[in-house]
Amino acid sequence: MIPASFDYTRPGSVEAAVEALAADEEAKVIAGGQSLLPLLRLRFAYPTLLVDLGGISELRGVRDAGDALEIGALTTHYELTRDPLIAAHAGLLAQAAGTIADPAVRHRGTIGGALSHADPAGDLPAVVTALEAVLVVTGPGGSREVSPAGFFADYLTTTLAPGEILTSVRVPKLGDGWGYHYEKFHPTAQAWAIVGVAALARRSNGHVAEARIGLTNMGSTPVRAGAAEAAAAGAEASAAAMRAAAQRADEGTSPPSDLRAAADYRRHLARVLTGRALARAAGI
Amino acid sequence: MKITLTIDGVRYDDDVEPRLLLVHYLREHAGRTGTPIGCDTSNCGACTVLLNGKSVKSCSVLAVQADGASVTTIQGLAAGNGSGEDGWHPLQKAFHEEHGLQCGYCTPGMILAAVDLLNENPNPTEEQVRDGLEGNLCRCTGYQNIVRAVLKAAGSTTGAGVQA
Amino acid sequence: MTATADHEVGRARTRKEDARLVTGQTSWTDNIMLPGLAQVAFLRSPHAHARITSVNLDAARTAPGVIAVFAGADVAAEQGSLPCAWPVTEDIVIPNHPPMAVETVRYAGEIVAAVVARDRYAAADALELIDVEYEPLPPVLDMPAALEPGSPKVHAEGNKSYTWSLANGDLDAAFADAPVVIERTYRQQRLIPEAMEPRAVVVAPVADEFTMWSSTQIPHVLKVMLALVTGIPEHKLRVIAPDVGGGFGSKLQVTAEEVLALILARRLGRPVKWTESRTEGNAAVHHGRDQIQKIRIAADADGTLRGLDVDLLADMGAYLMIVTPGVPLLGAFMFNAIYKMAAYRFNCTGVFTTKTPTDAYRGAGRPEATYAIEHIMDDLAFHLGLDPLEVRERNWIKHEEFPYTTISGLTYDTGNYEAATALAKDLFQYEELRKEQSERNAASAQVRLGLGVSTYTEMCGLAPSRVLGSLRYAAGGWEHAAIRMLPTGMVEVITGSSAHGQGHETAWSQIVADELGVPFEDVRVLHGDTAISHKGMDTYGSRSLVVGGTALVSACGKVREKARVIAAAMMEVAPTDLEWADGRWAVRGDPDQGKTIGEIAFATFAAHDLPDGVEPSLDCDATIDPDNFSYPHGTHLCAVEVDTETGWVKIRSYVAVDDIGNVINPLIVDGQLHGGIVQGIAQALFEEAAYDDSGNLVTASLADYLIPSAADVPSFTLARTQTPSTLNPLGVKGVGEAGTIASTPAVVNAIVDALRPFGVTDVAMPCTPERVWRAINNALPSPGETPPLQPPAQNQVDGGGAA
């Protein structure tokens, strides 16, 4: 399968990229291309122009920004799994990135690409949701910051305006007492998640003081399991208590029914996996 | 678009369509047909090559994205022209000795994925080998002898990784 | 036949094939480049069933780089009908099957137009410029519904292709007063073969002669069929199967793409290439399995089988391909498996649907049969409270009873089910695992353990021509081999088998080394080119070694006899004074005096002193038709852990003990088993070709059709027992399909075994976590209650006095 024709530009700066993108309504951004190229090959998309961010060195790498990490949009999944700052302050991101697709895809795929692609079955959208990351977006009018909830609009759809590019992801450093776990349930190793649970838990005095849970593939966007978070907060740090809190994990979600699973099974999985992820995150 | 690549140690300067896939560039422009194509969705891994030393699926990289890069294919892995077993990479030898291939269609990608795996982790466990090869599908071997081959090569590849 | 220092046969030789395969020096069909080679791309129907109302090719014809564009009407006069070589009954319906649809499309993926362009990019672009208008017709997707009188018709002749039956013994008597009758319906889901190399074909016309390179398992059969379909005289055709990247039956076919590539090359007078994409292939390569199996057994109270009654619906898909209708027949003889019984009845109806045609896929009919009988034997054991291996032992043919003629009429030559099972139990630590299982069940553990049993046999080595003829198969089952002795003593072997990963170049060299007393390295095996190997029946049905290997042994014997006469002249003794010893002709009683085949070959080349009337050649060939099938068997045991909360299934251990007779190369045999086992596991756990309600294939890519990776399967423990076949001189039985046939029931039986405490009697394949979870939860009385430990009352079980 072969993509339809398109023009291609590889700007050297974010400004130039924004300019190129703003000039052509049918233009698309390409970073690692691991989501886009299969779509182009199957001719599910017909962009007139690809704006390749690959030449913009300022979008690469992870920087310590005080109480947060500033992760360039071009940082690859592979780099997320290897970066010492991520390991120290946002280990959930490293763990989840290590479950994406396979090593070759992880060498090319980027965090900015994965988030902008906005596939609710992707792993990183739920992870940045749980991490309460800030997404930094740059467009013709300058930069703006947006929360994950404000960024993910629908299935494969973001709130990025024409000409806007996701340039970095600011992830607050996890403080003392926080643990994390990404529980991914997928039928084969390289398959997408049927359901994934990104859980963070802060433990204090034998209790879970605070929990944050992002769910993969439980709706058209990544969702927070708010009811389960509330139920976990203040609960005893035990497997039974986490399992009990997790009974509310699917509240407010609207999971799809598709080839892989029916919605009711997804709801069931969300509850079971949330219990397991919370227990791991809380060090139980 | 004009691009410059080094493929298995040879420099190529070319003018290509932006939509040209790297794997088609390798096969049909550079004549490196050792890298086959097995799918459209980057699942099978048959087309895996090393791009600047890291495994990638060459069906999911545009040739223009590889501008300036160095590519290692299965045909560039052995020392010399690859016709004598003596020059084979330890993984080529191990796949042969452990019968880690049958039809051989997945083999180029599987071996290059394994090169990358051992570069990252020179002494993997069986489970790490299996996980590390999750992006490369084989329909013949049931993987058992592939895993054995990689574990065997792990014992002999110290310093034999490919730097591209 | 065990290896000795002097014997090649039995040695774990590393493969000759590998040198080109591990270095990328391969000759896949898509690698072939020729001057002026044009690229073909096919437009395929997006509808499962529709009438083509108009086709507009104008825009595509004027697109850049386009050489020609054709619709069905343009080739209708010359394209013929794709062949079905197995009209299983006299009144079978074999619909016309145009390679390119002309008026009606009957499955999504059927070809409706072709573009020939200067390269594949231009061809892909031009496809989008073709405008085809369709009038949709109702899809036909469900077999039972398709047989209802009011169903929409796939073909004017109706949706039934044939009904084929086999019966032996008094079935009514067997069931009439049987203490136990168990009836089940199993579903063999539709599978996609997914050979790693997508198909490709290149055709080069020179004057009125044509060379075709194709990724095929059957160059010889293909050549004959192409001649019959296109009218091109057979001697003007040459078919080459270069390196072929796996087949598993999917390349045992005469395809629309091959016929059309030939026609287009002839039309245009230039070489053309077509290369399949995976997504295209998932819809267009023939699929496998897809049967609804209604199976009923009658047994005595002690579990002794009395009778077996099988009623199949087999989905043909939209058309009959080369052996489509015959696939279930290969299973017909296998439902009774290794078991003795007094009566058997088999009935199969082939049904047309608007789906991709089905045909042979690894095992072809036999995995389906083995699954059903091995599953219901477990159900019988559970019903009687017996261990699954115990109920099998009460029914299987004892080793001293061979040769044994089964209820379906086959005569099994040798076997030892007791030995294979005993070894497997031991390696598996069967009793220890049963104990652990009981403990987990007693503790209501969240993760349960299940043990699956599969004591399979199969008929392979296809096949005796007489039997094939009696089953109305159009061709024979013989095989050909030839030896060319070169002057320097090197040997060229020509085989009618056509390897695509099996390692024939290595195994054949081992056989010839022993037969002719030459070094392994001095043998070269040539295959897959009809101009070199002029006759053959190719590779499928685990036949290459059993039939082709026998032809090879026979040809070598002839070479030796020719050499004997010349050796005698060289040593000035009578031929009767010579004996073949230590790989050469030696004078009886004077072993120092002898001649090797190499020495004799050189003397033959010089031809200076040959006896009168002796031709200066050692070359010989042989064509062998087997008298019987061959019957490998074995015992596979699988332990699974099932997470009852999520339905997740993990294979914890897997032991396979196979009896495939003598072994030429244990390395290759183990490899065949590993791969076969994983393909069977894939059917049990992962794979299904799924269609939506309008008849579109949902699992169109490898992102949706899940084939397992290394991370999804375990390592296996293999062992062998060995009862040599008495049906061929090598004593071999075939191993290409054994693993796949055995493993699917072993895995599913293990899952069901783990879930018996929940009242589960079956989980539909593939046993996805969701299906496992639903099986558990549908059967649970209500949350919180203790699961029933007794076998539940089942409406499928009647009689049942022994429960």
Side-chain angles (χ1 to χ4, degrees), chain C residues 259-274:
Chain C
V259 171
L260 291 171
L262 185 54
I263 288 172
L264 299 182
R266 180 169 65 179
R267 277 274 186 104
L268 300 171
R270 61 186 296 167
V272 300
K273 179 195 279 186
W274 170 72

Side-chain angles (χ1 to χ4, degrees), chain C residues 170-254:
Chain C
D170 188 341
L171 195 78
D172 292 339
F175 275 84
D177 57 346
V180 184
V181 172
I182 297 180
E183 182 176 332
R184 292 283 189 270
T185 299
Y186 301 126
R187 180 73 208 227
Q188 291 287 325
Q189 80 270 36
R190 181 176 269 259
L191 299 177
I192 303 178
E194 306 287 16
M196 287 316 301
E197 183 203 14
R199 294 178 301 163
V201 57
V202 172
V203 179
V206 176
D208 63 346
E209 297 177 354
F210 299 86
T211 301
M212 173 184 288
W213 291 260
S214 183
S215 177
T216 180
Q217 294 173 227
I218 54 163
H220 298 93
V221 174
L222 178 59
K223 183 181 150 201
V224 177
M225 291 296 174
L226 288 173
L228 295 174
V229 170
T230 64
I232 295 170
E234 192 185 347
H235 64 300
K236 307 277 188 175
L237 283 169
R238 174 184 181 188
V239 176
I240 300 172
D243 284 325
V244 174
F248 316 108
S250 71
K251 296 172 183 173
L252 191 195
Q253 196 54 270
V254 177

Side-chain angles (χ1 to χ4, degrees), chain B residues 19 28 40 102 139 143-144, chain C residues 120 125 279 687 708 716:
Chain B
R19 61 171 169 163
E28 296 179 358
D40 317 312
Q102 289 177 31
R139 199 63 158 165
Y143 304 104
Q144 186 149 334
Chain C
R120 65 179 86 230
D125 291 346
T279 311
E687 297 181 12
F716 312 105

Side-chain angles (χ1 to χ4, degrees), chain B residues 17 19-25 27-29 31-46 73-78 81-85 88 91-93 95-108 110-111 126-127 129-148, chain C residues 14-26 28 30-33 39 119-122 124-125 192-198 243-246 248 273 277-280 361-362 500-503 667-676 678-679 682 687 700-705 707-718:
Chain B
E17 264 194 287
R19 61 171 169 163
L20 181 67
L21 302 175
L22 176 59
V23 70
H24 285 144
Y25 180 78
R27 291 177 54 79
E28 296 179 358
H29 295 243
R32 305 301 274 176
T33 53
T35 303
I37 304 170
C39 76
D40 317 312
T41 47
S42 87
N43 290 93
C44 83
T73 77
I74 191 69
Q75 290 166 280
L77 201 55
N81 64 8
S83 61
E85 227 176 289
W88 288 358
L91 274 158
Q92 291 173 309
K93 282 184 191 165
F95 269 65
H96 171 59
E97 287 163 3
E98 296 299 319
H99 188 34
L101 65 151
Q102 289 177 31
C103 82
Y105 200 77
C106 75
T107 308
M110 196 68 81
I111 286 179
E126 174 176 341
E127 193 185 347
V129 171
R130 286 185 177 277
D131 288 345
L133 297 178
E134 66 190 333
N136 293 77
L137 300 175
C138 169
R139 199 63 158 165
C140 295
T141 65
Y143 304 104
Q144 186 149 334
N145 288 344
I146 289 174
V147 173
R148 283 169 50 156
Chain C
T14 54
R15 298 196 318 169
K16 292 184 171 184
E17 291 85 344
D18 294 353
R20 65 179 185 274
L21 297 172
V22 300
T23 56
Q25 297 172 311
T26 34
W28 313 118
D30 189 46
N31 291 4
I32 291 164
M33 309 287 180
Q39 189 77 30
D119 64 45
R120 65 179 86 230
Y121 282 62
D125 291 346
I192 303 178
E194 306 287 16
M196 287 316 301
E197 183 203 14
D243 284 325
V244 174
F248 316 108
K273 179 195 279 186
S277 76
R278 178 66 56 184
T279 311
E280 189 178 19
Y361 172 55
R362 202 170 192 173
H500 38 284
Q502 290 88 348
L667 204 59
I668 290 175
V669 163
D670 285 353
Q672 286 289 322
L673 283 162
H674 293 152
V678 167
Q679 253 169 320
E687 297 181 12
S701 76
L702 287 179
D704 292 318
Y705 190 84
I707 79 176
S709 74
D712 302 304
V713 290
S715 285
F716 312 105
T717 303
L718 302 188

Side-chain angles (χ1 to χ4, degrees), chain C residues 720-743:
Chain C
R720 275 187 285 281
T721 53
Q722 216 160 309
T723 51
S725 171
T726 58
L727 301 169
N728 60 69
L730 291 166
V732 296
K733 298 181 178 176
V735 71
E737 295 153 301
T740 302
I741 290 168
S743 67

Side-chain angles (χ1 to χ4, degrees), chain C residues 517-582:
Chain C
V518 297
F520 170 78
E521 293 77 10
D522 289 358
V523 184
R524 183 174 181 216
V525 178
L526 304 169
H527 62 88
D529 178 346
T530 62
I532 295 170
S533 163
H534 70 286
K535 62 192 283 192
M537 278 295 177
D538 305 315
T539 288
Y540 49 87
S542 305
R543 69 186 309 273
S544 295
L545 184 59
V546 174
V547 191
T550 301
L552 187 58
V553 169
S554 176
C556 288
K558 291 181 183 179
V559 170
R560 280 200 309 270
E561 286 311 308
K562 270 191 174 179
R564 178 181 199 155
V565 176
I566 296 167
M570 290 166 75
M571 293 184 278
E572 297 179 331
V573 296
T576 48
D577 292 335
L578 296 181
E579 63 182 353
W580 181 259
D582 299 326

Side-chain angles (χ1 to χ4, degrees), chain C residues 202-544:
Chain C
V202 172
V203 179
V206 176
D208 63 346
E209 297 177 354
F210 299 86
T211 301
M212 173 184 288
W213 291 260
S214 183
S215 177
T216 180
Q217 294 173 227
I218 54 163
H220 298 93
V221 174
L222 178 59
K223 183 181 150 201
V224 177
M225 291 296 174
L226 288 173
L228 295 174
V229 170
T230 64
I232 295 170
E234 192 185 347
H235 64 300
K236 307 277 188 175
L237 283 169
R238 174 184 181 188
V239 176
I240 300 172
D243 284 325
V244 174
F248 316 108
S250 71
K251 296 172 183 173
L252 191 195
Q253 196 54 270
V254 177
T255 66
E257 293 83 359
E258 287 164 327
V259 171
L260 291 171
L262 185 54
I263 288 172
L264 299 182
R266 180 169 65 179
R267 277 274 186 104
L268 300 171
R270 61 186 296 167
V272 300
K273 179 195 279 186
W274 170 72
T275 309
E276 182 171 72
S277 76
R278 178 66 56 184
T279 311
E280 189 178 19
N282 273 15
V285 175
H286 72 244
H287 292 174
R289 314 283 191 259
D290 208 344
Q291 296 179 356
I292 297 172
Q293 309 171 299
K294 199 170 153 194
I295 178 169
R296 201 162 64 104
I297 53 171
D300 290 330
D302 67 353
T304 304
L305 287 175
R306 297 163 61 115
L308 169 64
D309 187 13
V310 176
D311 215 330
L312 291 190
L313 293 181
D315 192 342
M316 306 284 100
Y319 299 97
L320 303 183
M321 303 286 287
I322 191 158
V323 297
T324 302
V327 169
L329 273 62
L330 293 172
F333 299 92
M334 284 287 110
F335 275 91
N336 52 294
I338 64 171
Y339 308 116
K340 297 180 281 190
M341 61 193 73
Y344 173 45
R345 183 172 65 191
F346 173 90
N347 207 50
C348 173
T349 298
V351 184
F352 291 114
T353 60
T354 53
K355 295 182 185 176
T356 300
T358 60
D359 206 317
Y361 172 55
R362 202 170 192 173
R366 291 153 289 157
E368 297 92 316
T370 305
Y371 177 85
I373 187 69
E374 288 302 293
H375 196 327
I376 207 165
M377 288 302 280
D378 263 31
D379 293 334
L380 175 64
F382 182 71
H383 182 71
L384 297 174
L386 291 173
D387 184 278
L389 285 169
E390 174 65 29
V391 83
R392 285 168 171 78
E393 185 160 11
R394 288 183 188 181
N395 286 290
W396 71 40
I397 302 156
K398 307 282 183 283
H399 70 272
E400 64 271 16
E401 293 176 303
F402 289 92
Y404 184 90
T405 299
T406 70
I407 191 71
S408 64
L410 298 175
T411 300
Y412 296 174
D413 61 329
T414 60
N416 191 332
Y417 310 137
E418 299 92 323
T421 301
L423 180 56
K425 279 180 81 170
D426 190 39
L427 292 169
F428 191 62
Q429 300 188 287
Y430 187 81
E431 302 303 339
E432 289 85 341
L433 287 170
R434 280 281 177 223
K435 186 160 166 283
E436 180 184 335
Q437 179 186 35
S438 305
E439 288 163 4
R440 287 188 189 222
N441 285 347
S444 294
Q446 179 205 318
V447 178
R448 298 295 175 99
L449 184 63
L451 309 185
V453 170
S454 171
T455 51
Y456 79 98
T457 190
E458 58 150 330
M459 53 188 268
C460 64
L462 307 180
S465 299
R466 261 177 310 197
V467 176
L468 292 176
S470 74
L471 295 172
R472 303 178 55 86
Y473 182 61
W478 47 264
E479 195 48 271
H480 174 257
I483 300 290
R484 298 199 301 220
M485 284 305 309
L486 305 185
T488 56
M490 304 293 153
V491 187
E492 287 177 345
V493 174
I494 291 148
T495 174
S497 304
S498 192
H500 38 284
Q502 290 88 348
H504 294 171
E505 292 168 39
T506 304
W508 274 219
S509 294
Q510 290 178 268
I511 293 168
V512 170
D514 280 0
E515 292 292 324
L516 296 181
V518 297
F520 170 78
E521 293 77 10
D522 289 358
V523 184
R524 183 174 181 216
V525 178
L526 304 169
H527 62 88
D529 178 346
T530 62
I532 295 170
S533 163
H534 70 286
K535 62 192 283 192
M537 278 295 177
D538 305 315
T539 288
Y540 49 87
S542 305
R543 69 186 309 273
S544 295

